[in-house]
Amino acid sequence: MTGIDESRPFLPVNIAVMTVSDTRSAADDRSGDTLAGRIEGAGHVVAERRIVPDEMAEIVAALEGWIADPAIDVVVSTGGTGVTGRDVTPEAFERVFEKKIEGFGELFRWISFQKIRTSTVQSRAVGGVAGGTYLFALPGSPGACKDGWDGILQYQLDNRYRPCNFVELMPRLQEHTGR
């Protein structure tokens, strides 16, 4: 069976949303709003939301704080994944990853290709895990946030999704640490 197994009870996860931008504010953060709306609409909890400037140290510090917080299961960011000099989100995420989830970026670009064709090569969307927390970085447009959530994360963050999902693996993410 592939899809949602309605016989299983839904388990909401706590998700932090990070917008990486030098120019956005809470009043005009359309991509952050898109993610937060979809997260809550799916029944999950937006546990925290923050706008962080395009600065490696600040992105890493925010990630490390959320990784250390047992109340945060997942971090989803938007912005800073392009190829310009200020785009450092993937590098910041990779500094904290214990394991990369290669398929996340690959699948995101495949989904994106269906809509924006070859322009998707400019996306450096990444996914990984650290300290038992899932970490995903999406591009900074509302459309990219919709693609990442609607095409991947809404399913993988739903414990009812079959044949497998990220939620059912959460208890095992720190097996190597003995926790």
Side-chain angles (χ1 to χ4, degrees):
M1 169 184 162
T2 299
I4 300 296
D5 179 352
E6 297 289 348
S7 70
R8 297 173 58 123
F10 175 76
L11 300 174
V13 296
N14 295 323
I15 304 173
V17 175
M18 176 193 309
T19 298
V20 178
S21 176
D22 290 328
T23 60
R24 295 284 173 231
S25 69
D28 65 358
D29 180 15
R30 290 183 36 231
S31 295
D33 290 344
T34 297
L35 282 174
R38 280 173 154 64
I39 289 165
E40 291 172 341
H44 298 295
V45 176
V46 176
E48 240 185 281
R49 188 166 165 192
R50 186 179 308 173
I51 297 174
V52 178
D54 287 290
E55 295 292 339
M56 178 82 68
E58 294 194 45
I59 298 167
V60 168
L63 290 171
E64 288 176 339
W66 283 330
I67 292 165
D69 185 344
I72 303 294
D73 301 310
V74 178
V75 176
V76 182
S77 77
T78 175
T81 63
V83 296
T84 71
R86 297 289 296 154
D87 293 325
V88 297
T89 302
E91 290 80 7
F93 273 61
E94 288 173 11
R95 283 199 181 171
V96 301
F97 283 162
E98 292 168 5
K99 294 184 180 195
K100 281 186 79 173
I101 303 171
E102 301 284 353
F104 177 78
E106 295 164 359
L107 182 55
F108 173 81
R109 283 180 283 282
W110 179 80
I111 290 167
S112 179
F113 179 79
Q114 310 305 309
K115 297 178 180 176
I116 64 170
R117 309 304 293 166
T118 62
S119 295
T120 195
V121 301
Q122 295 181 30
S123 165
R124 297 184 308 133
V126 296
V129 66
T133 304
Y134 286 110
L135 308 167
F136 303 101
L138 294 169
S141 72
C145 291
K146 290 174 188 174
D147 290 346
W149 182 266
D150 297 352
I152 307 168
L153 294 175
Q154 77 167 330
Y155 301 110
Q156 283 299 297
L157 296 178
D158 189 327
N159 66 293
R160 303 168 301 165
Y161 186 75
R162 298 297 197 217
C164 57
N165 60 76
F166 289 142
V167 177
E168 63 192 4
L169 297 176
M170 284 180 176
R172 299 184 56 205
L173 292 178
Q174 296 193 66
E175 287 176 335
H176 67 287
T177 65
R179 292 185 216 172

